[in-house]
Amino acid sequence: MAENSYLKWLSQTGSFWWTDSAVYKNMDDYIGNGATGATTNPPLIRRSLYGAPDFWKPYLKDINPNLKPDEKTEEIIKRITVTIAEKFLPVYKSSGGIQGYVCAQVNPALQGNAEKMFEMAKRLNKWAENIAVKIPANAAGLEVIEECAALGITTVGTVSFSVPQAVEIARRQTIGTARAEKTGIKPGQAFSVVMVGRQDDYIRDVALDNRATLAESDIIQAGTAVIKRAYGIIKNNSYRSQLMPAGMRGAYHTIDLAGMDMTMSVSANIQASLAKEQAPFTENTDKSVSGDVIDRLCRIPEFARAYEPDGMKPSEFLSYGLSQRTLSQFSEAWLSIQEFVL
């Protein structure tokens, strides 16, 4: 196992970290360095499946060849996810169900259909006791997040890039959790994603498209500014959710959030970058993004929409440019899983 001193240190602070990967052969290393869960999505499952087909084929060989395409994809994802979930089950048990989860995401093509997403979410929840169901943060998805939370299902609100989305995920999870307790159901855990690196990428593209002058040093703080503002609001409202920074683009994203009460989704390349960091390491719980940086970022209307708590309504979440970009990528990956030759 390659020891990662930074990640081991991070796991001893107020932060947790999950590996942003479905590559099974590396799971023991991740756990050895303090990982307490794994985030997956269709692109990550595809990468694992096509990256190690000979490893996965024995797990998939008896899949019914007469399944419909979406059923085939779901079954492939199920078998990969459940295999990874077994690795994290000891973490789940030892933490009393606070950590140790592996994500399973609803079909991205169902993004506007609350009823079908809800039915699928309930199926995914039954795959293993330590499954966290990922549901997109749009109007339909938020309905599903609340209903799942009311059933005691652990949820991860995803396809989320903004303060309004992250806060609304947390609010709906809190409402659902309270409903569960009222009916005597043991609540699940609740995670609210902010795809910090994707926010940076988007602001960079929008700035270029509008020929707006914005320094790269400002751009790479966009996602961090969003999640830190959401963090303050969620804490002030005592919402029962933990923020999950994801889609990081550099070690700086993890470092800037180190020590905060978050569960970070850290990809293999970011893990490798963090391994190069030298002790002593520093918690940045009180470090904020400069007001001057935020003022410059807010000159880009799309950032202001993401940063201001009332910048978007739930009815606008699905049409936000980043949502469509991300869901399209997830849908393409879902279709490529269908094409895998068993």
PDB file of all heavy atoms in Angstrom, residues 77-106:
ATOM      1  N   ILE A  77     -24.399  -2.143 -12.967  1.00  0.00           N
ATOM      2  CA  ILE A  77     -24.028  -1.189 -11.922  1.00  0.00           C
ATOM      3  C   ILE A  77     -24.254  -1.790 -10.543  1.00  0.00           C
ATOM      4  O   ILE A  77     -23.432  -1.610  -9.628  1.00  0.00           O
ATOM      5  CB  ILE A  77     -24.822   0.125 -12.099  1.00  0.00           C
ATOM      6  CG1 ILE A  77     -24.380   0.847 -13.380  1.00  0.00           C
ATOM      7  CG2 ILE A  77     -24.640   1.035 -10.886  1.00  0.00           C
ATOM      8  CD1 ILE A  77     -25.212   2.056 -13.728  1.00  0.00           C
ATOM      9  N   LYS A  78     -25.350  -2.528 -10.393  1.00  0.00           N
ATOM     10  CA  LYS A  78     -25.645  -3.158  -9.099  1.00  0.00           C
ATOM     11  C   LYS A  78     -24.503  -4.082  -8.675  1.00  0.00           C
ATOM     12  O   LYS A  78     -24.028  -4.013  -7.538  1.00  0.00           O
ATOM     13  CB  LYS A  78     -26.949  -3.945  -9.188  1.00  0.00           C
ATOM     14  CG  LYS A  78     -27.282  -4.744  -7.935  1.00  0.00           C
ATOM     15  CD  LYS A  78     -28.563  -5.544  -8.111  1.00  0.00           C
ATOM     16  CE  LYS A  78     -28.867  -6.368  -6.866  1.00  0.00           C
ATOM     17  NZ  LYS A  78     -30.122  -7.151  -7.022  1.00  0.00           N
ATOM     18  N   ARG A  79     -24.059  -4.931  -9.578  1.00  0.00           N
ATOM     19  CA  ARG A  79     -23.069  -5.938  -9.198  1.00  0.00           C
ATOM     20  C   ARG A  79     -21.716  -5.303  -8.869  1.00  0.00           C
ATOM     21  O   ARG A  79     -21.027  -5.747  -7.946  1.00  0.00           O
ATOM     22  CB  ARG A  79     -22.962  -6.985 -10.301  1.00  0.00           C
ATOM     23  CG  ARG A  79     -24.274  -7.743 -10.464  1.00  0.00           C
ATOM     24  CD  ARG A  79     -24.154  -8.955 -11.319  1.00  0.00           C
ATOM     25  NE  ARG A  79     -25.465  -9.592 -11.468  1.00  0.00           N
ATOM     26  CZ  ARG A  79     -25.637 -10.840 -11.873  1.00  0.00           C
ATOM     27  NH1 ARG A  79     -24.584 -11.592 -12.162  1.00  0.00           N
ATOM     28  NH2 ARG A  79     -26.847 -11.348 -11.986  1.00  0.00           N
ATOM     29  N   ILE A  80     -21.355  -4.281  -9.602  1.00  0.00           N
ATOM     30  CA  ILE A  80     -20.106  -3.580  -9.293  1.00  0.00           C
ATOM     31  C   ILE A  80     -20.223  -2.839  -7.967  1.00  0.00           C
ATOM     32  O   ILE A  80     -19.336  -2.915  -7.102  1.00  0.00           O
ATOM     33  CB  ILE A  80     -19.739  -2.616 -10.434  1.00  0.00           C
ATOM     34  CG1 ILE A  80     -19.394  -3.408 -11.704  1.00  0.00           C
ATOM     35  CG2 ILE A  80     -18.580  -1.710 -10.028  1.00  0.00           C
ATOM     36  CD1 ILE A  80     -19.152  -2.555 -12.932  1.00  0.00           C
ATOM     37  N   THR A  81     -21.337  -2.147  -7.784  1.00  0.00           N
ATOM     38  CA  THR A  81     -21.537  -1.354  -6.570  1.00  0.00           C
ATOM     39  C   THR A  81     -21.599  -2.227  -5.326  1.00  0.00           C
ATOM     40  O   THR A  81     -20.984  -1.910  -4.294  1.00  0.00           O
ATOM     41  CB  THR A  81     -22.820  -0.515  -6.701  1.00  0.00           C
ATOM     42  OG1 THR A  81     -22.746   0.298  -7.879  1.00  0.00           O
ATOM     43  CG2 THR A  81     -23.021   0.378  -5.489  1.00  0.00           C
ATOM     44  N   VAL A  82     -22.325  -3.332  -5.398  1.00  0.00           N
ATOM     45  CA  VAL A  82     -22.458  -4.220  -4.245  1.00  0.00           C
ATOM     46  C   VAL A  82     -21.109  -4.836  -3.877  1.00  0.00           C
ATOM     47  O   VAL A  82     -20.776  -4.990  -2.688  1.00  0.00           O
ATOM     48  CB  VAL A  82     -23.504  -5.311  -4.530  1.00  0.00           C
ATOM     49  CG1 VAL A  82     -23.454  -6.408  -3.476  1.00  0.00           C
ATOM     50  CG2 VAL A  82     -24.901  -4.695  -4.582  1.00  0.00           C
ATOM     51  N   THR A  83     -20.303  -5.152  -4.877  1.00  0.00           N
ATOM     52  CA  THR A  83     -18.971  -5.710  -4.607  1.00  0.00           C
ATOM     53  C   THR A  83     -18.108  -4.702  -3.857  1.00  0.00           C
ATOM     54  O   THR A  83     -17.399  -5.057  -2.902  1.00  0.00           O
ATOM     55  CB  THR A  83     -18.291  -6.109  -5.926  1.00  0.00           C
ATOM     56  OG1 THR A  83     -19.124  -7.043  -6.623  1.00  0.00           O
ATOM     57  CG2 THR A  83     -16.938  -6.758  -5.680  1.00  0.00           C
ATOM     58  N   ILE A  84     -18.174  -3.433  -4.270  1.00  0.00           N
ATOM     59  CA  ILE A  84     -17.414  -2.390  -3.577  1.00  0.00           C
ATOM     60  C   ILE A  84     -17.986  -2.144  -2.184  1.00  0.00           C
ATOM     61  O   ILE A  84     -17.245  -1.935  -1.213  1.00  0.00           O
ATOM     62  CB  ILE A  84     -17.405  -1.092  -4.409  1.00  0.00           C
ATOM     63  CG1 ILE A  84     -16.691  -1.336  -5.749  1.00  0.00           C
ATOM     64  CG2 ILE A  84     -16.731   0.043  -3.643  1.00  0.00           C
ATOM     65  CD1 ILE A  84     -16.835  -0.196  -6.734  1.00  0.00           C
ATOM     66  N   ALA A  85     -19.317  -2.185  -2.075  1.00  0.00           N
ATOM     67  CA  ALA A  85     -19.965  -1.942  -0.781  1.00  0.00           C
ATOM     68  C   ALA A  85     -19.519  -2.946   0.273  1.00  0.00           C
ATOM     69  O   ALA A  85     -19.401  -2.605   1.465  1.00  0.00           O
ATOM     70  CB  ALA A  85     -21.484  -1.979  -0.937  1.00  0.00           C
ATOM     71  N   GLU A  86     -19.253  -4.170  -0.140  1.00  0.00           N
ATOM     72  CA  GLU A  86     -18.776  -5.183   0.804  1.00  0.00           C
ATOM     73  C   GLU A  86     -17.442  -4.762   1.429  1.00  0.00           C
ATOM     74  O   GLU A  86     -17.174  -5.061   2.596  1.00  0.00           O
ATOM     75  CB  GLU A  86     -18.635  -6.523   0.092  1.00  0.00           C
ATOM     76  CG  GLU A  86     -19.971  -7.158  -0.286  1.00  0.00           C
ATOM     77  CD  GLU A  86     -19.803  -8.434  -1.092  1.00  0.00           C
ATOM     78  OE1 GLU A  86     -18.643  -8.795  -1.405  1.00  0.00           O
ATOM     79  OE2 GLU A  86     -20.822  -9.063  -1.416  1.00  0.00           O
ATOM     80  N   LYS A  87     -16.615  -4.082   0.652  1.00  0.00           N
ATOM     81  CA  LYS A  87     -15.328  -3.613   1.172  1.00  0.00           C
ATOM     82  C   LYS A  87     -15.508  -2.600   2.305  1.00  0.00           C
ATOM     83  O   LYS A  87     -14.694  -2.534   3.240  1.00  0.00           O
ATOM     84  CB  LYS A  87     -14.517  -2.971   0.048  1.00  0.00           C
ATOM     85  CG  LYS A  87     -13.763  -3.944  -0.835  1.00  0.00           C
ATOM     86  CD  LYS A  87     -12.555  -4.504  -0.121  1.00  0.00           C
ATOM     87  CE  LYS A  87     -11.703  -5.343  -1.031  1.00  0.00           C
ATOM     88  NZ  LYS A  87     -10.596  -5.996  -0.291  1.00  0.00           N
ATOM     89  N   PHE A  88     -16.551  -1.772   2.186  1.00  0.00           N
ATOM     90  CA  PHE A  88     -16.741  -0.691   3.155  1.00  0.00           C
ATOM     91  C   PHE A  88     -17.705  -1.060   4.270  1.00  0.00           C
ATOM     92  O   PHE A  88     -17.948  -0.245   5.166  1.00  0.00           O
ATOM     93  CB  PHE A  88     -17.210   0.580   2.438  1.00  0.00           C
ATOM     94  CG  PHE A  88     -16.112   1.271   1.689  1.00  0.00           C
ATOM     95  CD1 PHE A  88     -15.881   0.995   0.349  1.00  0.00           C
ATOM     96  CD2 PHE A  88     -15.286   2.180   2.318  1.00  0.00           C
ATOM     97  CE1 PHE A  88     -14.856   1.612  -0.351  1.00  0.00           C
ATOM     98  CE2 PHE A  88     -14.252   2.807   1.640  1.00  0.00           C
ATOM     99  CZ  PHE A  88     -14.033   2.523   0.302  1.00  0.00           C
ATOM    100  N   LEU A  89     -18.235  -2.283   4.234  1.00  0.00           N
ATOM    101  CA  LEU A  89     -19.180  -2.693   5.271  1.00  0.00           C
ATOM    102  C   LEU A  89     -18.575  -2.651   6.676  1.00  0.00           C
ATOM    103  O   LEU A  89     -19.250  -2.211   7.616  1.00  0.00           O
ATOM    104  CB  LEU A  89     -19.735  -4.085   4.954  1.00  0.00           C
ATOM    105  CG  LEU A  89     -20.935  -4.539   5.789  1.00  0.00           C
ATOM    106  CD1 LEU A  89     -22.096  -3.556   5.671  1.00  0.00           C
ATOM    107  CD2 LEU A  89     -21.371  -5.932   5.364  1.00  0.00           C
ATOM    108  N   PRO A  90     -17.306  -3.050   6.869  1.00  0.00           N
ATOM    109  CA  PRO A  90     -16.732  -2.927   8.220  1.00  0.00           C
ATOM    110  C   PRO A  90     -16.693  -1.482   8.723  1.00  0.00           C
ATOM    111  O   PRO A  90     -16.895  -1.237   9.919  1.00  0.00           O
ATOM    112  CB  PRO A  90     -15.324  -3.499   8.051  1.00  0.00           C
ATOM    113  CG  PRO A  90     -15.436  -4.452   6.902  1.00  0.00           C
ATOM    114  CD  PRO A  90     -16.406  -3.797   5.965  1.00  0.00           C
ATOM    115  N   VAL A  91     -16.437  -0.531   7.815  1.00  0.00           N
ATOM    116  CA  VAL A  91     -16.441   0.883   8.212  1.00  0.00           C
ATOM    117  C   VAL A  91     -17.850   1.301   8.613  1.00  0.00           C
ATOM    118  O   VAL A  91     -18.053   2.009   9.615  1.00  0.00           O
ATOM    119  CB  VAL A  91     -15.924   1.771   7.058  1.00  0.00           C
ATOM    120  CG1 VAL A  91     -15.962   3.246   7.462  1.00  0.00           C
ATOM    121  CG2 VAL A  91     -14.515   1.363   6.651  1.00  0.00           C
ATOM    122  N   TYR A  92     -18.816   0.857   7.843  1.00  0.00           N
ATOM    123  CA  TYR A  92     -20.225   1.152   8.139  1.00  0.00           C
ATOM    124  C   TYR A  92     -20.600   0.614   9.519  1.00  0.00           C
ATOM    125  O   TYR A  92     -21.212   1.316  10.330  1.00  0.00           O
ATOM    126  CB  TYR A  92     -21.099   0.530   7.051  1.00  0.00           C
ATOM    127  CG  TYR A  92     -22.583   0.630   7.296  1.00  0.00           C
ATOM    128  CD1 TYR A  92     -23.293   1.785   6.964  1.00  0.00           C
ATOM    129  CD2 TYR A  92     -23.294  -0.444   7.846  1.00  0.00           C
ATOM    130  CE1 TYR A  92     -24.659   1.873   7.184  1.00  0.00           C
ATOM    131  CE2 TYR A  92     -24.655  -0.363   8.063  1.00  0.00           C
ATOM    132  CZ  TYR A  92     -25.338   0.792   7.731  1.00  0.00           C
ATOM    133  OH  TYR A  92     -26.685   0.880   7.944  1.00  0.00           O
ATOM    134  N   LYS A  93     -20.204  -0.620   9.803  1.00  0.00           N
ATOM    135  CA  LYS A  93     -20.546  -1.248  11.083  1.00  0.00           C
ATOM    136  C   LYS A  93     -19.854  -0.541  12.250  1.00  0.00           C
ATOM    137  O   LYS A  93     -20.477  -0.237  13.271  1.00  0.00           O
ATOM    138  CB  LYS A  93     -20.139  -2.722  11.061  1.00  0.00           C
ATOM    139  CG  LYS A  93     -20.880  -3.573  10.039  1.00  0.00           C
ATOM    140  CD  LYS A  93     -22.293  -3.868  10.449  1.00  0.00           C
ATOM    141  CE  LYS A  93     -22.919  -4.922   9.539  1.00  0.00           C
ATOM    142  NZ  LYS A  93     -24.321  -5.217   9.901  1.00  0.00           N
ATOM    143  N   SER A  94     -18.566  -0.271  12.086  1.00  0.00           N
ATOM    144  CA  SER A  94     -17.804   0.300  13.197  1.00  0.00           C
ATOM    145  C   SER A  94     -18.193   1.750  13.497  1.00  0.00           C
ATOM    146  O   SER A  94     -18.035   2.217  14.624  1.00  0.00           O
ATOM    147  CB  SER A  94     -16.299   0.222  12.907  1.00  0.00           C
ATOM    148  OG  SER A  94     -15.953   1.011  11.776  1.00  0.00           O
ATOM    149  N   SER A  95     -18.713   2.455  12.473  1.00  0.00           N
ATOM    150  CA  SER A  95     -19.121   3.852  12.670  1.00  0.00           C
ATOM    151  C   SER A  95     -20.587   3.986  13.073  1.00  0.00           C
ATOM    152  O   SER A  95     -21.088   5.106  13.234  1.00  0.00           O
ATOM    153  CB  SER A  95     -18.881   4.656  11.388  1.00  0.00           C
ATOM    154  OG  SER A  95     -19.791   4.262  10.369  1.00  0.00           O
ATOM    155  N   GLY A  96     -21.267   2.856  13.218  1.00  0.00           N
ATOM    156  CA  GLY A  96     -22.691   2.910  13.554  1.00  0.00           C
ATOM    157  C   GLY A  96     -23.544   3.469  12.435  1.00  0.00           C
ATOM    158  O   GLY A  96     -24.599   4.064  12.685  1.00  0.00           O
ATOM    159  N   GLY A  97     -23.089   3.280  11.189  1.00  0.00           N
ATOM    160  CA  GLY A  97     -23.865   3.739  10.051  1.00  0.00           C
ATOM    161  C   GLY A  97     -23.682   5.205   9.706  1.00  0.00           C
ATOM    162  O   GLY A  97     -24.379   5.736   8.840  1.00  0.00           O
ATOM    163  N   ILE A  98     -22.714   5.851  10.341  1.00  0.00           N
ATOM    164  CA  ILE A  98     -22.451   7.263  10.027  1.00  0.00           C
ATOM    165  C   ILE A  98     -21.638   7.377   8.749  1.00  0.00           C
ATOM    166  O   ILE A  98     -21.841   8.278   7.932  1.00  0.00           O
ATOM    167  CB  ILE A  98     -21.721   7.948  11.202  1.00  0.00           C
ATOM    168  CG1 ILE A  98     -22.660   8.011  12.420  1.00  0.00           C
ATOM    169  CG2 ILE A  98     -21.263   9.353  10.815  1.00  0.00           C
ATOM    170  CD1 ILE A  98     -21.989   8.529  13.675  1.00  0.00           C
ATOM    171  N   GLN A  99     -20.701   6.448   8.566  1.00  0.00           N
ATOM    172  CA  GLN A  99     -19.861   6.421   7.372  1.00  0.00           C
ATOM    173  C   GLN A  99     -19.894   4.997   6.800  1.00  0.00           C
ATOM    174  O   GLN A  99     -20.670   4.155   7.230  1.00  0.00           O
ATOM    175  CB  GLN A  99     -18.446   6.860   7.715  1.00  0.00           C
ATOM    176  CG  GLN A  99     -18.301   8.352   8.026  1.00  0.00           C
ATOM    177  CD  GLN A  99     -18.366   9.216   6.790  1.00  0.00           C
ATOM    178  OE1 GLN A  99     -17.772   8.923   5.767  1.00  0.00           O
ATOM    179  NE2 GLN A  99     -19.111  10.314   6.873  1.00  0.00           N
ATOM    180  N   GLY A 100     -19.047   4.744   5.791  1.00  0.00           N
ATOM    181  CA  GLY A 100     -18.963   3.410   5.215  1.00  0.00           C
ATOM    182  C   GLY A 100     -19.876   3.167   4.036  1.00  0.00           C
ATOM    183  O   GLY A 100     -20.149   2.021   3.677  1.00  0.00           O
ATOM    184  N   TYR A 101     -20.317   4.241   3.381  1.00  0.00           N
ATOM    185  CA  TYR A 101     -21.272   4.121   2.285  1.00  0.00           C
ATOM    186  C   TYR A 101     -20.608   4.041   0.914  1.00  0.00           C
ATOM    187  O   TYR A 101     -19.499   4.535   0.704  1.00  0.00           O
ATOM    188  CB  TYR A 101     -22.241   5.304   2.296  1.00  0.00           C
ATOM    189  CG  TYR A 101     -23.177   5.279   3.478  1.00  0.00           C
ATOM    190  CD1 TYR A 101     -22.868   5.968   4.648  1.00  0.00           C
ATOM    191  CD2 TYR A 101     -24.352   4.537   3.441  1.00  0.00           C
ATOM    192  CE1 TYR A 101     -23.709   5.926   5.742  1.00  0.00           C
ATOM    193  CE2 TYR A 101     -25.202   4.489   4.531  1.00  0.00           C
ATOM    194  CZ  TYR A 101     -24.882   5.187   5.684  1.00  0.00           C
ATOM    195  OH  TYR A 101     -25.717   5.139   6.779  1.00  0.00           O
ATOM    196  N   VAL A 102     -21.323   3.426  -0.006  1.00  0.00           N
ATOM    197  CA  VAL A 102     -20.962   3.432  -1.417  1.00  0.00           C
ATOM    198  C   VAL A 102     -22.182   3.938  -2.178  1.00  0.00           C
ATOM    199  O   VAL A 102     -23.314   3.516  -1.917  1.00  0.00           O
ATOM    200  CB  VAL A 102     -20.553   2.030  -1.905  1.00  0.00           C
ATOM    201  CG1 VAL A 102     -20.284   2.039  -3.401  1.00  0.00           C
ATOM    202  CG2 VAL A 102     -19.311   1.559  -1.155  1.00  0.00           C
ATOM    203  N   CYS A 103     -21.956   4.859  -3.094  1.00  0.00           N
ATOM    204  CA  CYS A 103     -23.060   5.518  -3.795  1.00  0.00           C
ATOM    205  C   CYS A 103     -23.604   4.689  -4.952  1.00  0.00           C
ATOM    206  O   CYS A 103     -22.865   3.969  -5.627  1.00  0.00           O
ATOM    207  CB  CYS A 103     -22.607   6.867  -4.346  1.00  0.00           C
ATOM    208  SG  CYS A 103     -22.177   8.066  -3.084  1.00  0.00           S
ATOM    209  N   ALA A 104     -24.894   4.817  -5.174  1.00  0.00           N
ATOM    210  CA  ALA A 104     -25.553   4.276  -6.357  1.00  0.00           C
ATOM    211  C   ALA A 104     -26.478   5.365  -6.878  1.00  0.00           C
ATOM    212  O   ALA A 104     -27.306   5.893  -6.124  1.00  0.00           O
ATOM    213  CB  ALA A 104     -26.346   3.021  -6.014  1.00  0.00           C
ATOM    214  N   GLN A 105     -26.335   5.712  -8.141  1.00  0.00           N
ATOM    215  CA  GLN A 105     -27.052   6.863  -8.704  1.00  0.00           C
ATOM    216  C   GLN A 105     -28.223   6.425  -9.568  1.00  0.00           C
ATOM    217  O   GLN A 105     -28.120   5.466 -10.337  1.00  0.00           O
ATOM    218  CB  GLN A 105     -26.094   7.719  -9.541  1.00  0.00           C
ATOM    219  CG  GLN A 105     -26.707   9.016 -10.046  1.00  0.00           C
ATOM    220  CD  GLN A 105     -25.654  10.009 -10.501  1.00  0.00           C
ATOM    221  OE1 GLN A 105     -24.543  10.016  -9.988  1.00  0.00           O
ATOM    222  NE2 GLN A 105     -25.998  10.849 -11.444  1.00  0.00           N
ATOM    223  N   VAL A 106     -29.345   7.134  -9.453  1.00  0.00           N
ATOM    224  CA  VAL A 106     -30.492   6.833 -10.296  1.00  0.00           C
ATOM    225  C   VAL A 106     -30.164   7.153 -11.751  1.00  0.00           C
ATOM    226  O   VAL A 106     -29.264   7.947 -12.053  1.00  0.00           O
ATOM    227  CB  VAL A 106     -31.748   7.624  -9.851  1.00  0.00           C
ATOM    228  CG1 VAL A 106     -32.149   7.245  -8.425  1.00  0.00           C
ATOM    229  CG2 VAL A 106     -31.531   9.131  -9.963  1.00  0.00           C
TER     230      VAL A 106
END
